[in-house]
Amino acid sequence: MAFDSTATTTGVPPLVEDGVFSLSASIVIDAPRDVVWEVLMDWKAYHEWNPFTRNQCLTDASKQPLPANQQTLRAGAHLYIHPVHIPPSFDSPKLLPAGSVLVVITALDTHNYRCAWVTVEHPKWMLHAERWQALVEVDDGDGRKKTRYETREVFSGVLAYAVSITVGGGLQKGFVAMAEGLKKRSEEKMRARVGHS
């Protein structure tokens, strides 16, 4: 996918001042980017390690899942994220019912390990969110390559104020829990690979 240097699809997350509120998380993972990317893109396994976003699948615009042979990640595709646990938990939600959101994937850059999507269930003036996830290679000083996972989501629209007040704290906890789960799962996967070599 080509990136317009003047648009938000440059790979840089949208600026906080572009919205009502934002969420973010960042964590260093002791595994190379390709391993972390593999875990991040394996949505069918989210229920095993992600206490926040328990499942995702590609759907049509009415949230009907696409057949298995059409579950290939691509820009322009609809992605239904459900269930979303606020607060994050591997158990069934106790305080709030599980949430969900329908988004359209706006960027998928496998070469630079980043992806983005925007919400599509409401008019932009009412409620809009844009989320970026990126993997950045870092060197810990001894030549070993590690990965910094970064994610940011910016909410705008008149309902964003209500979202911030009612579930903003829970969403932020979810971002952190997902980052921690991604770290644990990726490092386990890396140890298993090293152990078998």
Side-chain angles (χ1 to χ4, degrees):
M1 174 177 185
F3 291 98
D4 177 353
S5 63
T6 63
T8 60
T9 56
T10 61
V12 178
L15 299 174
V16 173
E17 48 275 357
D18 289 344
V20 173
F21 78 102
S22 68
L23 307 167
S24 64
S26 179
I27 197 165
V28 174
I29 301 170
D30 191 6
R33 289 192 301 175
D34 62 324
V35 171
V36 181
W37 185 256
E38 184 179 313
V39 173
L40 187 62
M41 295 294 115
D42 184 9
W43 301 334
K44 292 178 183 172
Y46 269 30
H47 68 279
E48 297 173 6
W49 64 268
N50 188 340
F52 178 51
T53 303
R54 307 291 289 135
N55 190 29
Q56 301 181 137
C57 73
L58 295 180
T59 68
D60 62 21
S62 65
K63 301 181 188 175
Q64 294 302 309
L66 298 179
N69 65 349
Q70 294 180 28
Q71 289 291 324
T72 303
L73 184 64
R74 63 195 176 282
H78 286 86
L79 178 66
Y80 183 53
I81 304 170
H82 176 82
V84 177
H85 287 190
I86 304 169
S89 173
F90 287 105
D91 299 323
S92 295
K94 292 178 177 53
L95 297 176
L96 299 170
S100 67
V101 64
L102 181 66
V103 301
V104 169
I105 300 167
T106 56
L108 178 64
D109 183 352
T110 57
H111 179 71
N112 291 303
Y113 301 93
R114 56 190 173 190
C115 63
W117 56 70
V118 295
T119 57
V120 294
E121 292 182 294
H122 305 287
K124 283 187 176 184
W125 64 267
M126 184 181 292
L127 182 62
H128 179 76
E130 180 178 18
R131 181 168 182 183
W132 279 88
Q133 296 183 89
L135 305 179
V136 179
E137 187 175 89
V138 294
D139 189 332
D140 69 357
D142 66 0
R144 288 185 36 221
K145 301 297 181 194
K146 294 184 178 181
T147 301
R148 185 174 62 247
Y149 167 71
E150 299 175 335
T151 185
R152 177 178 292 171
E153 188 162 6
V154 175
F155 291 79
S156 58
V158 296
L159 292 180
Y161 295 96
V163 171
S164 176
I165 292 166
T166 58
V167 294
L171 287 169
Q172 180 59 48
K173 287 177 185 176
F175 271 51
V176 171
M178 180 175 174
E180 292 170 348
L182 180 63
K183 174 182 174 68
K184 182 178 179 190
R185 178 70 163 218
S186 299
E187 290 176 353
E188 287 170 353
K189 189 170 208 151
M190 190 61 196
R191 282 193 297 274
R193 284 188 181 179
V194 171
H196 287 99
S197 57

mmCIF file of all heavy atoms in Angstrom, residues 58-98:
data_model
loop_
_atom_site.group_PDB
_atom_site.id
_atom_site.type_symbol
_atom_site.label_atom_id
_atom_site.label_comp_id
_atom_site.label_asym_id
_atom_site.label_seq_id
_atom_site.Cartn_x
_atom_site.Cartn_y
_atom_site.Cartn_z
ATOM 1 N N LEU A 58 -12.743 -11.165 9.870
ATOM 2 C CA LEU A 58 -13.153 -10.351 8.738
ATOM 3 C C LEU A 58 -14.618 -10.645 8.434
ATOM 4 O O LEU A 58 -15.053 -11.791 8.471
ATOM 5 C CB LEU A 58 -12.287 -10.632 7.520
ATOM 6 C CG LEU A 58 -10.814 -10.241 7.653
ATOM 7 C CD1 LEU A 58 -10.057 -10.574 6.371
ATOM 8 C CD2 LEU A 58 -10.647 -8.773 8.000
ATOM 9 N N THR A 59 -15.377 -9.573 8.149
ATOM 10 C CA THR A 59 -16.806 -9.693 7.895
ATOM 11 C C THR A 59 -17.184 -8.828 6.706
ATOM 12 O O THR A 59 -16.362 -8.067 6.192
ATOM 13 C CB THR A 59 -17.637 -9.223 9.112
ATOM 14 O OG1 THR A 59 -17.470 -7.806 9.263
ATOM 15 C CG2 THR A 59 -17.238 -9.929 10.392
ATOM 16 N N ASP A 60 -18.461 -8.912 6.339
ATOM 17 C CA ASP A 60 -18.977 -7.936 5.395
ATOM 18 C C ASP A 60 -19.425 -6.716 6.204
ATOM 19 O O ASP A 60 -19.278 -6.679 7.436
ATOM 20 C CB ASP A 60 -20.098 -8.522 4.528
ATOM 21 C CG ASP A 60 -21.312 -8.976 5.319
ATOM 22 O OD1 ASP A 60 -21.515 -8.518 6.482
ATOM 23 O OD2 ASP A 60 -22.089 -9.785 4.781
ATOM 24 N N ALA A 61 -19.997 -5.720 5.552
ATOM 25 C CA ALA A 61 -20.383 -4.484 6.231
ATOM 26 C C ALA A 61 -21.492 -4.688 7.258
ATOM 27 O O ALA A 61 -21.687 -3.849 8.134
ATOM 28 C CB ALA A 61 -20.808 -3.436 5.213
ATOM 29 N N SER A 62 -22.208 -5.821 7.183
ATOM 30 C CA SER A 62 -23.280 -6.103 8.149
ATOM 31 C C SER A 62 -22.826 -7.049 9.261
ATOM 32 O O SER A 62 -23.654 -7.626 9.954
ATOM 33 C CB SER A 62 -24.509 -6.665 7.431
ATOM 34 O OG SER A 62 -24.193 -7.926 6.857
ATOM 35 N N LYS A 63 -21.524 -7.223 9.419
ATOM 36 C CA LYS A 63 -20.903 -8.032 10.465
ATOM 37 C C LYS A 63 -21.066 -9.539 10.268
ATOM 38 O O LYS A 63 -20.842 -10.312 11.182
ATOM 39 C CB LYS A 63 -21.410 -7.658 11.869
ATOM 40 C CG LYS A 63 -21.184 -6.228 12.262
ATOM 41 C CD LYS A 63 -21.704 -5.968 13.670
ATOM 42 C CE LYS A 63 -21.673 -4.513 14.014
ATOM 43 N NZ LYS A 63 -22.276 -4.241 15.311
ATOM 44 N N GLN A 64 -21.444 -9.960 9.063
ATOM 45 C CA GLN A 64 -21.531 -11.382 8.769
ATOM 46 C C GLN A 64 -20.131 -11.884 8.431
ATOM 47 O O GLN A 64 -19.477 -11.368 7.516
ATOM 48 C CB GLN A 64 -22.486 -11.639 7.595
ATOM 49 C CG GLN A 64 -23.927 -11.285 7.903
ATOM 50 C CD GLN A 64 -24.453 -12.049 9.102
ATOM 51 O OE1 GLN A 64 -24.348 -13.268 9.188
ATOM 52 N NE2 GLN A 64 -25.011 -11.315 10.057
ATOM 53 N N PRO A 65 -19.637 -12.898 9.174
ATOM 54 C CA PRO A 65 -18.281 -13.394 8.929
ATOM 55 C C PRO A 65 -18.097 -13.872 7.487
ATOM 56 O O PRO A 65 -18.986 -14.496 6.912
ATOM 57 C CB PRO A 65 -18.145 -14.565 9.905
ATOM 58 C CG PRO A 65 -19.157 -14.287 10.967
ATOM 59 C CD PRO A 65 -20.303 -13.599 10.278
ATOM 60 N N LEU A 66 -16.954 -13.550 6.934
ATOM 61 C CA LEU A 66 -16.603 -14.047 5.610
ATOM 62 C C LEU A 66 -16.182 -15.507 5.732
ATOM 63 O O LEU A 66 -15.726 -15.941 6.786
ATOM 64 C CB LEU A 66 -15.462 -13.213 5.022
ATOM 65 C CG LEU A 66 -15.751 -11.727 4.786
ATOM 66 C CD1 LEU A 66 -14.513 -11.035 4.227
ATOM 67 C CD2 LEU A 66 -16.942 -11.534 3.856
ATOM 68 N N PRO A 67 -16.310 -16.278 4.653
ATOM 69 C CA PRO A 67 -15.874 -17.677 4.689
ATOM 70 C C PRO A 67 -14.389 -17.775 5.049
ATOM 71 O O PRO A 67 -13.621 -16.827 4.845
ATOM 72 C CB PRO A 67 -16.123 -18.174 3.269
ATOM 73 C CG PRO A 67 -17.075 -17.197 2.651
ATOM 74 C CD PRO A 67 -16.860 -15.895 3.361
ATOM 75 N N ALA A 68 -13.989 -18.930 5.543
ATOM 76 C CA ALA A 68 -12.605 -19.146 5.987
ATOM 77 C C ALA A 68 -11.600 -18.810 4.888
ATOM 78 O O ALA A 68 -10.531 -18.255 5.173
ATOM 79 C CB ALA A 68 -12.417 -20.580 6.463
ATOM 80 N N ASN A 69 -11.938 -19.103 3.629
ATOM 81 C CA ASN A 69 -10.988 -18.842 2.549
ATOM 82 C C ASN A 69 -10.892 -17.357 2.185
ATOM 83 O O ASN A 69 -10.107 -16.971 1.332
ATOM 84 C CB ASN A 69 -11.335 -19.671 1.315
ATOM 85 C CG ASN A 69 -12.671 -19.297 0.704
ATOM 86 O OD1 ASN A 69 -13.460 -18.554 1.287
ATOM 87 N ND2 ASN A 69 -12.933 -19.832 -0.481
ATOM 88 N N GLN A 70 -11.716 -16.511 2.851
ATOM 89 C CA GLN A 70 -11.659 -15.063 2.621
ATOM 90 C C GLN A 70 -11.193 -14.302 3.871
ATOM 91 O O GLN A 70 -11.347 -13.091 3.952
ATOM 92 C CB GLN A 70 -13.036 -14.550 2.181
ATOM 93 C CG GLN A 70 -13.466 -15.080 0.836
ATOM 94 C CD GLN A 70 -14.837 -14.559 0.442
ATOM 95 O OE1 GLN A 70 -15.251 -13.479 0.856
ATOM 96 N NE2 GLN A 70 -15.553 -15.328 -0.359
ATOM 97 N N GLN A 71 -10.634 -15.005 4.832
ATOM 98 C CA GLN A 71 -10.162 -14.379 6.066
ATOM 99 C C GLN A 71 -8.713 -13.906 5.947
ATOM 100 O O GLN A 71 -7.949 -13.976 6.894
ATOM 101 C CB GLN A 71 -10.314 -15.359 7.241
ATOM 102 C CG GLN A 71 -11.727 -15.619 7.667
ATOM 103 C CD GLN A 71 -12.373 -14.412 8.326
ATOM 104 O OE1 GLN A 71 -11.743 -13.650 9.048
ATOM 105 N NE2 GLN A 71 -13.663 -14.226 8.058
ATOM 106 N N THR A 72 -8.344 -13.398 4.778
ATOM 107 C CA THR A 72 -7.002 -12.892 4.548
ATOM 108 C C THR A 72 -6.975 -11.393 4.845
ATOM 109 O O THR A 72 -7.741 -10.625 4.257
ATOM 110 C CB THR A 72 -6.574 -13.146 3.089
ATOM 111 O OG1 THR A 72 -6.666 -14.543 2.828
ATOM 112 C CG2 THR A 72 -5.145 -12.683 2.857
ATOM 113 N N LEU A 73 -6.105 -11.013 5.735
ATOM 114 C CA LEU A 73 -5.983 -9.619 6.143
ATOM 115 C C LEU A 73 -5.625 -8.746 4.952
ATOM 116 O O LEU A 73 -4.724 -9.079 4.180
ATOM 117 C CB LEU A 73 -4.901 -9.508 7.223
ATOM 118 C CG LEU A 73 -4.673 -8.157 7.842
ATOM 119 C CD1 LEU A 73 -5.912 -7.712 8.605
ATOM 120 C CD2 LEU A 73 -3.487 -8.223 8.773
ATOM 121 N N ARG A 74 -6.353 -7.625 4.796
ATOM 122 C CA ARG A 74 -6.079 -6.707 3.696
ATOM 123 C C ARG A 74 -6.676 -5.338 4.004
ATOM 124 O O ARG A 74 -7.689 -5.238 4.689
ATOM 125 C CB ARG A 74 -6.628 -7.249 2.385
ATOM 126 C CG ARG A 74 -8.131 -7.407 2.371
ATOM 127 C CD ARG A 74 -8.628 -8.277 1.218
ATOM 128 N NE ARG A 74 -10.050 -8.487 1.281
ATOM 129 C CZ ARG A 74 -10.673 -9.342 2.085
ATOM 130 N NH1 ARG A 74 -9.975 -10.072 2.919
ATOM 131 N NH2 ARG A 74 -11.985 -9.462 2.070
ATOM 132 N N ALA A 75 -6.051 -4.316 3.481
ATOM 133 C CA ALA A 75 -6.587 -2.965 3.621
ATOM 134 C C ALA A 75 -7.921 -2.898 2.892
ATOM 135 O O ALA A 75 -8.098 -3.494 1.831
ATOM 136 C CB ALA A 75 -5.615 -1.947 3.055
ATOM 137 N N GLY A 76 -8.871 -2.187 3.485
ATOM 138 C CA GLY A 76 -10.197 -2.048 2.914
ATOM 139 C C GLY A 76 -11.200 -3.059 3.435
ATOM 140 O O GLY A 76 -12.397 -2.918 3.204
ATOM 141 N N ALA A 77 -10.729 -4.075 4.135
ATOM 142 C CA ALA A 77 -11.613 -5.119 4.655
ATOM 143 C C ALA A 77 -12.289 -4.665 5.954
ATOM 144 O O ALA A 77 -11.721 -3.891 6.721
ATOM 145 C CB ALA A 77 -10.829 -6.405 4.905
ATOM 146 N N HIS A 78 -13.499 -5.172 6.195
ATOM 147 C CA HIS A 78 -14.195 -4.946 7.467
ATOM 148 C C HIS A 78 -13.692 -5.962 8.485
ATOM 149 O O HIS A 78 -13.547 -7.145 8.167
ATOM 150 C CB HIS A 78 -15.711 -5.122 7.298
ATOM 151 C CG HIS A 78 -16.354 -3.989 6.589
ATOM 152 N ND1 HIS A 78 -16.437 -3.924 5.216
ATOM 153 C CD2 HIS A 78 -16.938 -2.869 7.062
ATOM 154 C CE1 HIS A 78 -17.053 -2.809 4.882
ATOM 155 N NE2 HIS A 78 -17.365 -2.144 5.972
ATOM 156 N N LEU A 79 -13.439 -5.481 9.685
ATOM 157 C CA LEU A 79 -12.961 -6.332 10.774
ATOM 158 C C LEU A 79 -13.909 -6.158 11.947
ATOM 159 O O LEU A 79 -14.131 -5.034 12.420
ATOM 160 C CB LEU A 79 -11.537 -5.905 11.168
ATOM 161 C CG LEU A 79 -10.884 -6.644 12.322
ATOM 162 C CD1 LEU A 79 -10.635 -8.111 11.963
ATOM 163 C CD2 LEU A 79 -9.561 -5.972 12.689
ATOM 164 N N TYR A 80 -14.484 -7.264 12.398
ATOM 165 C CA TYR A 80 -15.395 -7.229 13.548
ATOM 166 C C TYR A 80 -14.609 -7.695 14.763
ATOM 167 O O TYR A 80 -14.098 -8.817 14.797
ATOM 168 C CB TYR A 80 -16.603 -8.124 13.292
ATOM 169 C CG TYR A 80 -17.633 -8.095 14.393
ATOM 170 C CD1 TYR A 80 -18.164 -6.891 14.846
ATOM 171 C CD2 TYR A 80 -18.086 -9.272 14.969
ATOM 172 C CE1 TYR A 80 -19.125 -6.859 15.849
ATOM 173 C CE2 TYR A 80 -19.051 -9.256 15.965
ATOM 174 C CZ TYR A 80 -19.567 -8.050 16.399
ATOM 175 O OH TYR A 80 -20.514 -8.021 17.392
ATOM 176 N N ILE A 81 -14.506 -6.827 15.751
ATOM 177 C CA ILE A 81 -13.738 -7.099 16.964
ATOM 178 C C ILE A 81 -14.742 -7.386 18.077
ATOM 179 O O ILE A 81 -15.466 -6.489 18.514
ATOM 180 C CB ILE A 81 -12.832 -5.900 17.313
ATOM 181 C CG1 ILE A 81 -11.935 -5.568 16.122
ATOM 182 C CG2 ILE A 81 -12.027 -6.181 18.568
ATOM 183 C CD1 ILE A 81 -11.171 -4.272 16.261
ATOM 184 N N HIS A 82 -14.805 -8.653 18.501
ATOM 185 C CA HIS A 82 -15.785 -9.080 19.506
ATOM 186 C C HIS A 82 -15.376 -10.433 20.063
ATOM 187 O O HIS A 82 -14.991 -11.303 19.296
ATOM 188 C CB HIS A 82 -17.176 -9.174 18.895
ATOM 189 C CG HIS A 82 -18.201 -9.704 19.846
ATOM 190 N ND1 HIS A 82 -18.803 -8.901 20.781
ATOM 191 C CD2 HIS A 82 -18.690 -10.944 20.021
ATOM 192 C CE1 HIS A 82 -19.644 -9.635 21.492
ATOM 193 N NE2 HIS A 82 -19.596 -10.875 21.045
ATOM 194 N N PRO A 83 -15.472 -10.656 21.319
ATOM 195 C CA PRO A 83 -15.840 -9.705 22.366
ATOM 196 C C PRO A 83 -14.643 -8.898 22.849
ATOM 197 O O PRO A 83 -13.516 -9.347 22.805
ATOM 198 C CB PRO A 83 -16.365 -10.604 23.480
ATOM 199 C CG PRO A 83 -15.614 -11.894 23.310
ATOM 200 C CD PRO A 83 -15.366 -12.031 21.820
ATOM 201 N N VAL A 84 -14.961 -7.699 23.316
ATOM 202 C CA VAL A 84 -13.975 -6.822 23.928
ATOM 203 C C VAL A 84 -14.329 -6.749 25.411
ATOM 204 O O VAL A 84 -15.452 -6.391 25.758
ATOM 205 C CB VAL A 84 -14.002 -5.408 23.300
ATOM 206 C CG1 VAL A 84 -13.017 -4.491 24.009
ATOM 207 C CG2 VAL A 84 -13.710 -5.488 21.813
ATOM 208 N N HIS A 85 -13.389 -7.137 26.257
ATOM 209 C CA HIS A 85 -13.643 -7.171 27.697
ATOM 210 C C HIS A 85 -13.123 -5.909 28.378
ATOM 211 O O HIS A 85 -11.931 -5.624 28.352
ATOM 212 C CB HIS A 85 -12.968 -8.387 28.332
ATOM 213 C CG HIS A 85 -13.645 -9.675 27.999
ATOM 214 N ND1 HIS A 85 -13.322 -10.852 28.618
ATOM 215 C CD2 HIS A 85 -14.646 -9.989 27.130
ATOM 216 C CE1 HIS A 85 -14.081 -11.831 28.146
ATOM 217 N NE2 HIS A 85 -14.885 -11.323 27.224
ATOM 218 N N ILE A 86 -14.050 -5.157 28.976
ATOM 219 C CA ILE A 86 -13.715 -3.954 29.741
ATOM 220 C C ILE A 86 -14.303 -4.134 31.141
ATOM 221 O O ILE A 86 -15.518 -4.170 31.261
ATOM 222 C CB ILE A 86 -14.299 -2.691 29.076
ATOM 223 C CG1 ILE A 86 -13.827 -2.587 27.632
ATOM 224 C CG2 ILE A 86 -13.937 -1.446 29.865
ATOM 225 C CD1 ILE A 86 -14.543 -1.527 26.834
ATOM 226 N N PRO A 87 -13.475 -4.276 32.166
ATOM 227 C CA PRO A 87 -12.012 -4.328 32.154
ATOM 228 C C PRO A 87 -11.519 -5.640 31.539
ATOM 229 O O PRO A 87 -12.284 -6.600 31.426
ATOM 230 C CB PRO A 87 -11.648 -4.225 33.638
ATOM 231 C CG PRO A 87 -12.825 -4.783 34.356
ATOM 232 C CD PRO A 87 -14.024 -4.431 33.521
ATOM 233 N N PRO A 88 -10.232 -5.684 31.161
ATOM 234 C CA PRO A 88 -9.699 -6.885 30.528
ATOM 235 C C PRO A 88 -9.764 -8.087 31.470
ATOM 236 O O PRO A 88 -9.473 -7.968 32.657
ATOM 237 C CB PRO A 88 -8.253 -6.516 30.205
ATOM 238 C CG PRO A 88 -7.945 -5.340 31.065
ATOM 239 C CD PRO A 88 -9.227 -4.643 31.333
ATOM 240 N N SER A 89 -10.158 -9.232 30.906
ATOM 241 C CA SER A 89 -10.283 -10.448 31.715
ATOM 242 C C SER A 89 -10.386 -11.656 30.797
ATOM 243 O O SER A 89 -10.986 -11.581 29.727
ATOM 244 C CB SER A 89 -11.534 -10.372 32.593
ATOM 245 O OG SER A 89 -11.753 -11.597 33.244
ATOM 246 N N PHE A 90 -9.839 -12.777 31.251
ATOM 247 C CA PHE A 90 -10.009 -14.032 30.520
ATOM 248 C C PHE A 90 -11.349 -14.668 30.872
ATOM 249 O O PHE A 90 -11.806 -15.567 30.186
ATOM 250 C CB PHE A 90 -8.855 -14.995 30.826
ATOM 251 C CG PHE A 90 -7.572 -14.588 30.169
ATOM 252 C CD1 PHE A 90 -6.551 -14.022 30.909
ATOM 253 C CD2 PHE A 90 -7.380 -14.762 28.805
ATOM 254 C CE1 PHE A 90 -5.360 -13.640 30.301
ATOM 255 C CE2 PHE A 90 -6.200 -14.376 28.182
ATOM 256 C CZ PHE A 90 -5.189 -13.819 28.939
ATOM 257 N N ASP A 91 -11.974 -14.201 31.935
ATOM 258 C CA ASP A 91 -13.278 -14.711 32.359
ATOM 259 C C ASP A 91 -14.391 -13.936 31.661
ATOM 260 O O ASP A 91 -14.156 -12.902 31.036
ATOM 261 C CB ASP A 91 -13.433 -14.570 33.883
ATOM 262 C CG ASP A 91 -12.378 -15.357 34.638
ATOM 263 O OD1 ASP A 91 -12.017 -16.459 34.187
ATOM 264 O OD2 ASP A 91 -11.892 -14.848 35.667
ATOM 265 N N SER A 92 -15.604 -14.418 31.802
ATOM 266 C CA SER A 92 -16.752 -13.690 31.262
ATOM 267 C C SER A 92 -16.861 -12.345 31.975
ATOM 268 O O SER A 92 -16.592 -12.247 33.170
ATOM 269 C CB SER A 92 -18.034 -14.486 31.484
ATOM 270 O OG SER A 92 -17.981 -15.679 30.738
ATOM 271 N N PRO A 93 -17.278 -11.300 31.250
ATOM 272 C CA PRO A 93 -17.408 -9.975 31.871
ATOM 273 C C PRO A 93 -18.385 -9.991 33.037
ATOM 274 O O PRO A 93 -19.416 -10.657 32.984
ATOM 275 C CB PRO A 93 -17.938 -9.101 30.731
ATOM 276 C CG PRO A 93 -17.603 -9.827 29.483
ATOM 277 C CD PRO A 93 -17.615 -11.287 29.840
ATOM 278 N N LYS A 94 -18.033 -9.259 34.095
ATOM 279 C CA LYS A 94 -18.893 -9.200 35.276
ATOM 280 C C LYS A 94 -19.566 -7.837 35.430
ATOM 281 O O LYS A 94 -20.730 -7.756 35.773
ATOM 282 C CB LYS A 94 -18.080 -9.538 36.523
ATOM 283 C CG LYS A 94 -17.632 -10.993 36.551
ATOM 284 C CD LYS A 94 -16.796 -11.281 37.772
ATOM 285 C CE LYS A 94 -16.385 -12.718 37.889
ATOM 286 N NZ LYS A 94 -15.732 -13.321 36.781
ATOM 287 N N LEU A 95 -18.839 -6.767 35.182
ATOM 288 C CA LEU A 95 -19.380 -5.422 35.361
ATOM 289 C C LEU A 95 -20.178 -4.953 34.149
ATOM 290 O O LEU A 95 -21.306 -4.505 34.269
ATOM 291 C CB LEU A 95 -18.253 -4.426 35.645
ATOM 292 C CG LEU A 95 -17.457 -4.656 36.923
ATOM 293 C CD1 LEU A 95 -16.308 -3.657 37.014
ATOM 294 C CD2 LEU A 95 -18.357 -4.536 38.143
ATOM 295 N N LEU A 96 -19.568 -5.022 32.999
ATOM 296 C CA LEU A 96 -20.185 -4.561 31.756
ATOM 297 C C LEU A 96 -20.296 -5.734 30.794
ATOM 298 O O LEU A 96 -19.459 -6.631 30.811
ATOM 299 C CB LEU A 96 -19.322 -3.471 31.113
ATOM 300 C CG LEU A 96 -19.084 -2.203 31.906
ATOM 301 C CD1 LEU A 96 -18.023 -1.344 31.227
ATOM 302 C CD2 LEU A 96 -20.379 -1.418 32.037
ATOM 303 N N PRO A 97 -21.305 -5.735 29.941
ATOM 304 C CA PRO A 97 -21.351 -6.783 28.919
ATOM 305 C C PRO A 97 -20.172 -6.619 27.962
ATOM 306 O O PRO A 97 -19.628 -5.522 27.818
ATOM 307 C CB PRO A 97 -22.685 -6.547 28.216
ATOM 308 C CG PRO A 97 -23.032 -5.130 28.497
ATOM 309 C CD PRO A 97 -22.410 -4.788 29.826
ATOM 310 N N ALA A 98 -19.783 -7.715 27.316
ATOM 311 C CA ALA A 98 -18.684 -7.639 26.353
ATOM 312 C C ALA A 98 -19.041 -6.659 25.255
ATOM 313 O O ALA A 98 -20.178 -6.597 24.801
ATOM 314 C CB ALA A 98 -18.404 -9.020 25.772
#
